[in-house]
Amino acid sequence: MTDLWNDTFLETLRQQLPLLPAEGELTPATNLYDLGLDSMRSVQLLIALEETLDISIPDEMLTAEAFRTPGDIWTLVQAVKAEQDPGSRDSS
């Protein structure tokens, strides 16, 4: 696990990035569209994140900007987790 996000998040994200080498580094500012994230993969990523992290991301939070970088997505995930379970502020 990194200090930035948890392993589950990272693995789920990596599965939707066809242009990311197996050992390629992801930083919070990495442009995911440069790594092959398109609209179809964004939907697949959304579904995978909701299933693996046990969250439900509201439609109004689904924007292209929210899925531009790993940092943007992690911020979105943390906001949703805090909203859906205010007592759980754990980053895992």
PDB file of all heavy atoms in Angstrom, residues 73-86:
ATOM      1  N   ILE A  73      -9.721  10.849  -8.703  1.00  0.00           N
ATOM      2  CA  ILE A  73     -10.613   9.727  -8.404  1.00  0.00           C
ATOM      3  C   ILE A  73     -10.556   9.387  -6.923  1.00  0.00           C
ATOM      4  O   ILE A  73     -11.584   9.143  -6.289  1.00  0.00           O
ATOM      5  CB  ILE A  73     -10.272   8.494  -9.256  1.00  0.00           C
ATOM      6  CG1 ILE A  73     -10.442   8.806 -10.741  1.00  0.00           C
ATOM      7  CG2 ILE A  73     -11.149   7.302  -8.860  1.00  0.00           C
ATOM      8  CD1 ILE A  73      -9.924   7.717 -11.675  1.00  0.00           C
ATOM      9  N   TRP A  74      -9.357   9.381  -6.345  1.00  0.00           N
ATOM     10  CA  TRP A  74      -9.220   9.053  -4.918  1.00  0.00           C
ATOM     11  C   TRP A  74      -9.941  10.094  -4.055  1.00  0.00           C
ATOM     12  O   TRP A  74     -10.603   9.752  -3.075  1.00  0.00           O
ATOM     13  CB  TRP A  74      -7.757   8.948  -4.528  1.00  0.00           C
ATOM     14  CG  TRP A  74      -7.553   8.526  -3.108  1.00  0.00           C
ATOM     15  CD1 TRP A  74      -7.000   9.257  -2.110  1.00  0.00           C
ATOM     16  CD2 TRP A  74      -7.919   7.258  -2.523  1.00  0.00           C
ATOM     17  NE1 TRP A  74      -6.996   8.530  -0.938  1.00  0.00           N
ATOM     18  CE2 TRP A  74      -7.551   7.299  -1.168  1.00  0.00           C
ATOM     19  CE3 TRP A  74      -8.520   6.110  -3.015  1.00  0.00           C
ATOM     20  CZ2 TRP A  74      -7.759   6.240  -0.293  1.00  0.00           C
ATOM     21  CZ3 TRP A  74      -8.725   5.044  -2.145  1.00  0.00           C
ATOM     22  CH2 TRP A  74      -8.351   5.116  -0.803  1.00  0.00           C
ATOM     23  N   THR A  75      -9.848  11.363  -4.446  1.00  0.00           N
ATOM     24  CA  THR A  75     -10.567  12.423  -3.728  1.00  0.00           C
ATOM     25  C   THR A  75     -12.074  12.170  -3.802  1.00  0.00           C
ATOM     26  O   THR A  75     -12.784  12.303  -2.800  1.00  0.00           O
ATOM     27  CB  THR A  75     -10.211  13.804  -4.316  1.00  0.00           C
ATOM     28  OG1 THR A  75      -8.807  14.023  -4.127  1.00  0.00           O
ATOM     29  CG2 THR A  75     -10.997  14.911  -3.646  1.00  0.00           C
ATOM     30  N   LEU A  76     -12.549  11.799  -4.973  1.00  0.00           N
ATOM     31  CA  LEU A  76     -13.964  11.478  -5.162  1.00  0.00           C
ATOM     32  C   LEU A  76     -14.380  10.304  -4.279  1.00  0.00           C
ATOM     33  O   LEU A  76     -15.386  10.364  -3.572  1.00  0.00           O
ATOM     34  CB  LEU A  76     -14.238  11.159  -6.627  1.00  0.00           C
ATOM     35  CG  LEU A  76     -15.615  10.623  -6.982  1.00  0.00           C
ATOM     36  CD1 LEU A  76     -16.691  11.672  -6.734  1.00  0.00           C
ATOM     37  CD2 LEU A  76     -15.634  10.157  -8.436  1.00  0.00           C
ATOM     38  N   VAL A  77     -13.583   9.248  -4.298  1.00  0.00           N
ATOM     39  CA  VAL A  77     -13.883   8.052  -3.489  1.00  0.00           C
ATOM     40  C   VAL A  77     -13.947   8.417  -2.009  1.00  0.00           C
ATOM     41  O   VAL A  77     -14.870   8.011  -1.292  1.00  0.00           O
ATOM     42  CB  VAL A  77     -12.831   6.950  -3.739  1.00  0.00           C
ATOM     43  CG1 VAL A  77     -12.890   5.866  -2.678  1.00  0.00           C
ATOM     44  CG2 VAL A  77     -13.013   6.353  -5.131  1.00  0.00           C
ATOM     45  N   GLN A  78     -12.984   9.176  -1.539  1.00  0.00           N
ATOM     46  CA  GLN A  78     -12.955   9.556  -0.122  1.00  0.00           C
ATOM     47  C   GLN A  78     -14.141  10.436   0.248  1.00  0.00           C
ATOM     48  O   GLN A  78     -14.712  10.299   1.333  1.00  0.00           O
ATOM     49  CB  GLN A  78     -11.635  10.243   0.221  1.00  0.00           C
ATOM     50  CG  GLN A  78     -10.440   9.310   0.146  1.00  0.00           C
ATOM     51  CD  GLN A  78     -10.603   8.103   1.028  1.00  0.00           C
ATOM     52  OE1 GLN A  78     -10.677   8.197   2.251  1.00  0.00           O
ATOM     53  NE2 GLN A  78     -10.687   6.932   0.422  1.00  0.00           N
ATOM     54  N   ALA A  79     -14.543  11.335  -0.650  1.00  0.00           N
ATOM     55  CA  ALA A  79     -15.709  12.188  -0.398  1.00  0.00           C
ATOM     56  C   ALA A  79     -16.979  11.349  -0.309  1.00  0.00           C
ATOM     57  O   ALA A  79     -17.821  11.566   0.567  1.00  0.00           O
ATOM     58  CB  ALA A  79     -15.843  13.244  -1.487  1.00  0.00           C
ATOM     59  N   VAL A  80     -17.108  10.381  -1.207  1.00  0.00           N
ATOM     60  CA  VAL A  80     -18.283   9.514  -1.198  1.00  0.00           C
ATOM     61  C   VAL A  80     -18.305   8.659   0.065  1.00  0.00           C
ATOM     62  O   VAL A  80     -19.344   8.530   0.720  1.00  0.00           O
ATOM     63  CB  VAL A  80     -18.319   8.627  -2.464  1.00  0.00           C
ATOM     64  CG1 VAL A  80     -19.366   7.541  -2.345  1.00  0.00           C
ATOM     65  CG2 VAL A  80     -18.567   9.479  -3.695  1.00  0.00           C
ATOM     66  N   LYS A  81     -17.155   8.107   0.434  1.00  0.00           N
ATOM     67  CA  LYS A  81     -17.088   7.284   1.646  1.00  0.00           C
ATOM     68  C   LYS A  81     -17.456   8.104   2.879  1.00  0.00           C
ATOM     69  O   LYS A  81     -18.183   7.638   3.750  1.00  0.00           O
ATOM     70  CB  LYS A  81     -15.696   6.674   1.797  1.00  0.00           C
ATOM     71  CG  LYS A  81     -15.438   5.555   0.806  1.00  0.00           C
ATOM     72  CD  LYS A  81     -14.028   5.049   0.904  1.00  0.00           C
ATOM     73  CE  LYS A  81     -13.952   3.995   1.975  1.00  0.00           C
ATOM     74  NZ  LYS A  81     -12.649   3.295   1.991  1.00  0.00           N
ATOM     75  N   ALA A  82     -16.967   9.324   2.950  1.00  0.00           N
ATOM     76  CA  ALA A  82     -17.264  10.186   4.097  1.00  0.00           C
ATOM     77  C   ALA A  82     -18.749  10.543   4.143  1.00  0.00           C
ATOM     78  O   ALA A  82     -19.337  10.594   5.221  1.00  0.00           O
ATOM     79  CB  ALA A  82     -16.419  11.455   4.044  1.00  0.00           C
ATOM     80  N   GLU A  83     -19.342  10.755   2.991  1.00  0.00           N
ATOM     81  CA  GLU A  83     -20.756  11.101   2.916  1.00  0.00           C
ATOM     82  C   GLU A  83     -21.641   9.901   3.280  1.00  0.00           C
ATOM     83  O   GLU A  83     -22.644  10.051   3.968  1.00  0.00           O
ATOM     84  CB  GLU A  83     -21.096  11.588   1.517  1.00  0.00           C
ATOM     85  CG  GLU A  83     -22.521  12.049   1.350  1.00  0.00           C
ATOM     86  CD  GLU A  83     -22.780  12.577  -0.040  1.00  0.00           C
ATOM     87  OE1 GLU A  83     -22.178  13.602  -0.400  1.00  0.00           O
ATOM     88  OE2 GLU A  83     -23.575  11.959  -0.768  1.00  0.00           O
ATOM     89  N   GLN A  84     -21.229   8.726   2.823  1.00  0.00           N
ATOM     90  CA  GLN A  84     -22.053   7.540   3.050  1.00  0.00           C
ATOM     91  C   GLN A  84     -21.832   6.915   4.420  1.00  0.00           C
ATOM     92  O   GLN A  84     -22.685   6.214   4.916  1.00  0.00           O
ATOM     93  CB  GLN A  84     -21.799   6.516   1.939  1.00  0.00           C
ATOM     94  CG  GLN A  84     -22.334   7.009   0.612  1.00  0.00           C
ATOM     95  CD  GLN A  84     -22.028   6.108  -0.552  1.00  0.00           C
ATOM     96  OE1 GLN A  84     -21.447   5.042  -0.417  1.00  0.00           O
ATOM     97  NE2 GLN A  84     -22.424   6.541  -1.736  1.00  0.00           N
ATOM     98  N   ASP A  85     -20.675   7.170   5.003  1.00  0.00           N
ATOM     99  CA  ASP A  85     -20.389   6.648   6.328  1.00  0.00           C
ATOM    100  C   ASP A  85     -19.527   7.664   7.084  1.00  0.00           C
ATOM    101  O   ASP A  85     -18.303   7.515   7.147  1.00  0.00           O
ATOM    102  CB  ASP A  85     -19.661   5.304   6.236  1.00  0.00           C
ATOM    103  CG  ASP A  85     -19.452   4.666   7.593  1.00  0.00           C
ATOM    104  OD1 ASP A  85     -19.995   5.158   8.594  1.00  0.00           O
ATOM    105  OD2 ASP A  85     -18.731   3.646   7.660  1.00  0.00           O
ATOM    106  N   PRO A  86     -20.150   8.732   7.609  1.00  0.00           N
ATOM    107  CA  PRO A  86     -19.384   9.818   8.252  1.00  0.00           C
ATOM    108  C   PRO A  86     -18.449   9.354   9.365  1.00  0.00           C
ATOM    109  O   PRO A  86     -17.468  10.008   9.648  1.00  0.00           O
ATOM    110  CB  PRO A  86     -20.468  10.745   8.794  1.00  0.00           C
ATOM    111  CG  PRO A  86     -21.686  10.414   8.024  1.00  0.00           C
ATOM    112  CD  PRO A  86     -21.562   8.963   7.650  1.00  0.00           C
TER     113      PRO A  86
END
